[in-house]
mmCIF file of all heavy atoms in Angstrom:
data_model
loop_
_atom_site.group_PDB
_atom_site.id
_atom_site.type_symbol
_atom_site.label_atom_id
_atom_site.label_comp_id
_atom_site.label_asym_id
_atom_site.label_seq_id
_atom_site.Cartn_x
_atom_site.Cartn_y
_atom_site.Cartn_z
ATOM 1 N N ASN A 1 5.974 -133.374 -43.846
ATOM 2 C CA ASN A 1 4.895 -133.301 -42.869
ATOM 3 C C ASN A 1 5.428 -133.451 -41.449
ATOM 4 O O ASN A 1 4.954 -132.787 -40.515
ATOM 5 C CB ASN A 1 3.853 -134.394 -43.151
ATOM 6 C CG ASN A 1 3.120 -134.175 -44.456
ATOM 7 O OD1 ASN A 1 3.040 -133.053 -44.952
ATOM 8 N ND2 ASN A 1 2.597 -135.248 -45.034
ATOM 9 N N LEU A 2 6.413 -134.328 -41.274
ATOM 10 C CA LEU A 2 7.005 -134.518 -39.946
ATOM 11 C C LEU A 2 7.782 -133.297 -39.480
ATOM 12 O O LEU A 2 7.927 -133.069 -38.282
ATOM 13 C CB LEU A 2 7.921 -135.745 -39.956
ATOM 14 C CG LEU A 2 7.330 -137.050 -39.431
ATOM 15 C CD1 LEU A 2 8.263 -138.200 -39.707
ATOM 16 C CD2 LEU A 2 7.041 -136.950 -37.942
ATOM 17 N N ALA A 3 8.303 -132.514 -40.437
ATOM 18 C CA ALA A 3 9.077 -131.324 -40.076
ATOM 19 C C ALA A 3 8.242 -130.359 -39.248
ATOM 20 O O ALA A 3 8.781 -129.607 -38.429
ATOM 21 C CB ALA A 3 9.599 -130.629 -41.333
ATOM 22 N N ALA A 4 6.904 -130.370 -39.471
ATOM 23 C CA ALA A 4 6.037 -129.501 -38.687
ATOM 24 C C ALA A 4 6.008 -129.921 -37.220
ATOM 25 O O ALA A 4 5.852 -129.084 -36.328
ATOM 26 C CB ALA A 4 4.621 -129.521 -39.266
ATOM 27 N N ALA A 5 6.153 -131.226 -36.975
ATOM 28 C CA ALA A 5 6.155 -131.711 -35.597
ATOM 29 C C ALA A 5 7.543 -131.620 -34.969
ATOM 30 O O ALA A 5 7.676 -131.543 -33.746
ATOM 31 C CB ALA A 5 5.676 -133.163 -35.557
ATOM 32 N N TYR A 6 8.551 -131.622 -35.827
ATOM 33 C CA TYR A 6 9.923 -131.617 -35.326
ATOM 34 C C TYR A 6 10.315 -130.199 -34.913
ATOM 35 O O TYR A 6 9.912 -129.229 -35.520
ATOM 36 C CB TYR A 6 10.854 -132.111 -36.430
ATOM 37 C CG TYR A 6 12.185 -132.664 -35.946
ATOM 38 C CD1 TYR A 6 12.290 -133.290 -34.721
ATOM 39 C CD2 TYR A 6 13.317 -132.579 -36.734
ATOM 40 C CE1 TYR A 6 13.489 -133.820 -34.293
ATOM 41 C CE2 TYR A 6 14.532 -133.104 -36.321
ATOM 42 C CZ TYR A 6 14.606 -133.721 -35.096
ATOM 43 O OH TYR A 6 15.798 -134.240 -34.674
ATOM 44 N N GLY A 7 11.081 -130.068 -33.917
ATOM 45 C CA GLY A 7 11.596 -128.758 -33.537
ATOM 46 C C GLY A 7 11.060 -128.257 -32.225
ATOM 47 O O GLY A 7 11.810 -127.715 -31.405
ATOM 48 N N ILE A 8 9.762 -128.461 -31.967
ATOM 49 C CA ILE A 8 9.198 -127.879 -30.751
ATOM 50 C C ILE A 8 9.725 -128.578 -29.499
ATOM 51 O O ILE A 8 9.973 -127.944 -28.476
ATOM 52 C CB ILE A 8 7.652 -127.899 -30.800
ATOM 53 C CG1 ILE A 8 7.093 -126.963 -29.740
ATOM 54 C CG2 ILE A 8 7.100 -129.316 -30.639
ATOM 55 C CD1 ILE A 8 5.653 -126.609 -29.949
ATOM 56 N N ALA A 9 9.931 -129.895 -29.594
ATOM 57 C CA ALA A 9 10.501 -130.610 -28.454
ATOM 58 C C ALA A 9 11.943 -130.185 -28.218
ATOM 59 O O ALA A 9 12.374 -129.976 -27.079
ATOM 60 C CB ALA A 9 10.421 -132.120 -28.688
ATOM 61 N N VAL A 10 12.690 -130.022 -29.308
ATOM 62 C CA VAL A 10 14.101 -129.638 -29.200
ATOM 63 C C VAL A 10 14.243 -128.225 -28.654
ATOM 64 O O VAL A 10 15.030 -127.963 -27.742
ATOM 65 C CB VAL A 10 14.791 -129.764 -30.570
ATOM 66 C CG1 VAL A 10 16.222 -129.271 -30.493
ATOM 67 C CG2 VAL A 10 14.752 -131.202 -31.057
ATOM 68 N N THR A 11 13.478 -127.285 -29.219
ATOM 69 C CA THR A 11 13.587 -125.894 -28.768
ATOM 70 C C THR A 11 13.095 -125.739 -27.335
ATOM 71 O O THR A 11 13.627 -124.930 -26.573
ATOM 72 C CB THR A 11 12.801 -124.957 -29.699
ATOM 73 O OG1 THR A 11 11.447 -125.430 -29.826
ATOM 74 C CG2 THR A 11 13.435 -124.918 -31.073
ATOM 75 N N GLY A 12 12.078 -126.528 -26.955
ATOM 76 C CA GLY A 12 11.620 -126.483 -25.570
ATOM 77 C C GLY A 12 12.697 -126.961 -24.609
ATOM 78 O O GLY A 12 12.933 -126.355 -23.563
ATOM 79 N N ALA A 13 13.377 -128.056 -24.975
ATOM 80 C CA ALA A 13 14.458 -128.569 -24.132
ATOM 81 C C ALA A 13 15.624 -127.589 -24.070
ATOM 82 O O ALA A 13 16.245 -127.406 -23.017
ATOM 83 C CB ALA A 13 14.924 -129.918 -24.666
ATOM 84 N N MET A 14 15.927 -126.940 -25.207
ATOM 85 C CA MET A 14 17.011 -125.952 -25.222
ATOM 86 C C MET A 14 16.679 -124.765 -24.317
ATOM 87 O O MET A 14 17.553 -124.236 -23.613
ATOM 88 C CB MET A 14 17.259 -125.469 -26.646
ATOM 89 C CG MET A 14 17.932 -126.480 -27.550
ATOM 90 S SD MET A 14 18.186 -125.810 -29.210
ATOM 91 C CE MET A 14 19.076 -127.168 -29.991
ATOM 92 N N PHE A 15 15.430 -124.333 -24.342
ATOM 93 C CA PHE A 15 14.995 -123.221 -23.492
ATOM 94 C C PHE A 15 15.140 -123.584 -22.017
ATOM 95 O O PHE A 15 15.634 -122.790 -21.208
ATOM 96 C CB PHE A 15 13.548 -122.863 -23.830
ATOM 97 C CG PHE A 15 12.941 -121.828 -22.919
ATOM 98 C CD1 PHE A 15 13.435 -120.534 -22.888
ATOM 99 C CD2 PHE A 15 11.879 -122.153 -22.097
ATOM 100 C CE1 PHE A 15 12.877 -119.578 -22.049
ATOM 101 C CE2 PHE A 15 11.318 -121.210 -21.256
ATOM 102 C CZ PHE A 15 11.819 -119.915 -21.231
ATOM 103 N N ILE A 16 14.740 -124.809 -21.659
ATOM 104 C CA ILE A 16 14.864 -125.256 -20.272
ATOM 105 C C ILE A 16 16.334 -125.372 -19.878
ATOM 106 O O ILE A 16 16.714 -125.019 -18.752
ATOM 107 C CB ILE A 16 14.130 -126.592 -20.084
ATOM 108 C CG1 ILE A 16 12.618 -126.388 -20.252
ATOM 109 C CG2 ILE A 16 14.429 -127.200 -18.712
ATOM 110 C CD1 ILE A 16 11.815 -127.661 -20.260
ATOM 111 N N ASP A 17 17.179 -125.847 -20.798
ATOM 112 C CA ASP A 17 18.623 -125.917 -20.515
ATOM 113 C C ASP A 17 19.178 -124.542 -20.167
ATOM 114 O O ASP A 17 20.047 -124.406 -19.298
ATOM 115 C CB ASP A 17 19.373 -126.498 -21.713
ATOM 116 C CG ASP A 17 19.258 -128.011 -21.799
ATOM 117 O OD1 ASP A 17 18.810 -128.625 -20.814
ATOM 118 O OD2 ASP A 17 19.602 -128.574 -22.861
ATOM 119 N N THR A 18 18.696 -123.511 -20.858
ATOM 120 C CA THR A 18 19.161 -122.152 -20.566
ATOM 121 C C THR A 18 18.752 -121.718 -19.169
ATOM 122 O O THR A 18 19.535 -121.093 -18.440
ATOM 123 C CB THR A 18 18.608 -121.160 -21.606
ATOM 124 O OG1 THR A 18 19.092 -121.519 -22.905
ATOM 125 C CG2 THR A 18 19.057 -119.739 -21.301
ATOM 126 N N LEU A 19 17.522 -122.038 -18.757
ATOM 127 C CA LEU A 19 17.070 -121.694 -17.406
ATOM 128 C C LEU A 19 17.888 -122.433 -16.351
ATOM 129 O O LEU A 19 18.265 -121.843 -15.320
ATOM 130 C CB LEU A 19 15.587 -122.026 -17.255
ATOM 131 C CG LEU A 19 14.617 -121.258 -18.166
ATOM 132 C CD1 LEU A 19 13.180 -121.717 -17.917
ATOM 133 C CD2 LEU A 19 14.730 -119.756 -17.936
ATOM 134 N N LEU A 20 18.177 -123.714 -16.598
ATOM 135 C CA LEU A 20 19.008 -124.468 -15.659
ATOM 136 C C LEU A 20 20.430 -123.908 -15.622
ATOM 137 O O LEU A 20 21.061 -123.843 -14.564
ATOM 138 C CB LEU A 20 19.033 -125.945 -16.045
ATOM 139 C CG LEU A 20 17.693 -126.695 -15.978
ATOM 140 C CD1 LEU A 20 17.869 -128.136 -16.456
ATOM 141 C CD2 LEU A 20 17.134 -126.687 -14.562
ATOM 142 N N LEU A 21 20.925 -123.495 -16.810
ATOM 143 C CA LEU A 21 22.258 -122.892 -16.861
ATOM 144 C C LEU A 21 22.305 -121.600 -16.061
ATOM 145 O O LEU A 21 23.301 -121.317 -15.378
ATOM 146 C CB LEU A 21 22.647 -122.619 -18.317
ATOM 147 C CG LEU A 21 23.971 -121.867 -18.524
ATOM 148 C CD1 LEU A 21 25.144 -122.723 -18.055
ATOM 149 C CD2 LEU A 21 24.155 -121.476 -19.987
ATOM 150 N N ALA A 22 21.229 -120.818 -16.134
ATOM 151 C CA ALA A 22 21.178 -119.571 -15.364
ATOM 152 C C ALA A 22 21.315 -119.853 -13.871
ATOM 153 O O ALA A 22 22.019 -119.129 -13.147
ATOM 154 C CB ALA A 22 19.874 -118.831 -15.656
ATOM 155 N N ALA A 23 20.665 -120.926 -13.389
ATOM 156 C CA ALA A 23 20.787 -121.295 -11.978
ATOM 157 C C ALA A 23 22.225 -121.674 -11.634
ATOM 158 O O ALA A 23 22.737 -121.330 -10.564
ATOM 159 C CB ALA A 23 19.847 -122.464 -11.671
ATOM 160 N N VAL A 24 22.897 -122.354 -12.562
ATOM 161 C CA VAL A 24 24.295 -122.737 -12.338
ATOM 162 C C VAL A 24 25.190 -121.499 -12.283
ATOM 163 O O VAL A 24 26.026 -121.346 -11.387
ATOM 164 C CB VAL A 24 24.775 -123.697 -13.437
ATOM 165 C CG1 VAL A 24 26.280 -123.922 -13.342
ATOM 166 C CG2 VAL A 24 24.049 -125.029 -13.336
ATOM 167 N N LEU A 25 25.010 -120.589 -13.243
ATOM 168 C CA LEU A 25 25.870 -119.403 -13.318
ATOM 169 C C LEU A 25 25.722 -118.519 -12.085
ATOM 170 O O LEU A 25 26.712 -118.056 -11.509
ATOM 171 C CB LEU A 25 25.543 -118.601 -14.578
ATOM 172 C CG LEU A 25 25.851 -119.263 -15.924
ATOM 173 C CD1 LEU A 25 25.461 -118.339 -17.070
ATOM 174 C CD2 LEU A 25 27.328 -119.618 -16.035
ATOM 175 N N PHE A 26 24.472 -118.289 -11.683
ATOM 176 C CA PHE A 26 24.232 -117.341 -10.593
ATOM 177 C C PHE A 26 24.397 -117.968 -9.207
ATOM 178 O O PHE A 26 24.975 -117.342 -8.313
ATOM 179 C CB PHE A 26 22.821 -116.745 -10.713
ATOM 180 C CG PHE A 26 22.662 -115.765 -11.840
ATOM 181 C CD1 PHE A 26 21.863 -116.059 -12.928
ATOM 182 C CD2 PHE A 26 23.323 -114.548 -11.822
ATOM 183 C CE1 PHE A 26 21.716 -115.165 -13.979
ATOM 184 C CE2 PHE A 26 23.181 -113.644 -12.865
ATOM 185 C CZ PHE A 26 22.380 -113.951 -13.951
ATOM 186 N N SER A 27 23.917 -119.195 -9.028
ATOM 187 C CA SER A 27 23.868 -119.767 -7.683
ATOM 188 C C SER A 27 25.026 -120.703 -7.363
ATOM 189 O O SER A 27 25.424 -120.801 -6.205
ATOM 190 C CB SER A 27 22.543 -120.514 -7.481
ATOM 191 O OG SER A 27 21.452 -119.637 -7.617
ATOM 192 N N LEU A 28 25.547 -121.406 -8.367
ATOM 193 C CA LEU A 28 26.620 -122.365 -8.100
ATOM 194 C C LEU A 28 27.991 -121.786 -8.414
ATOM 195 O O LEU A 28 28.922 -121.919 -7.627
ATOM 196 C CB LEU A 28 26.387 -123.651 -8.895
ATOM 197 C CG LEU A 28 25.041 -124.366 -8.653
ATOM 198 C CD1 LEU A 28 25.007 -125.689 -9.390
ATOM 199 C CD2 LEU A 28 24.797 -124.583 -7.172
ATOM 200 N N TRP A 29 28.116 -121.170 -9.584
ATOM 201 C CA TRP A 29 29.405 -120.589 -9.957
ATOM 202 C C TRP A 29 29.590 -119.177 -9.413
ATOM 203 O O TRP A 29 30.688 -118.636 -9.459
ATOM 204 C CB TRP A 29 29.553 -120.578 -11.478
ATOM 205 C CG TRP A 29 29.662 -121.943 -12.073
ATOM 206 C CD1 TRP A 29 29.750 -123.129 -11.410
ATOM 207 C CD2 TRP A 29 29.685 -122.268 -13.469
ATOM 208 N NE1 TRP A 29 29.834 -124.174 -12.296
ATOM 209 C CE2 TRP A 29 29.801 -123.684 -13.575
ATOM 210 C CE3 TRP A 29 29.636 -121.513 -14.636
ATOM 211 C CZ2 TRP A 29 29.854 -124.334 -14.796
ATOM 212 C CZ3 TRP A 29 29.680 -122.176 -15.861
ATOM 213 C CH2 TRP A 29 29.799 -123.566 -15.932
#
């Protein structure tokens, strides 16, 4: 039952990490 709740927080954070990484790649590096 908990598996249904698990994952959305992790995938949301991973998605945001990708957006932040894009800012690093294009604007900083």
Side-chain angles (χ1 to χ4, degrees):
N1 293 337
L2 262 171
Y6 202 31
I8 196 164
V10 176
T11 53
M14 288 180 177
F15 174 65
I16 293 173
D17 282 347
T18 298
L19 297 179
L20 296 177
L21 175 66
V24 171
L25 294 180
F26 288 113
S27 299
L28 303 186
W29 293 354

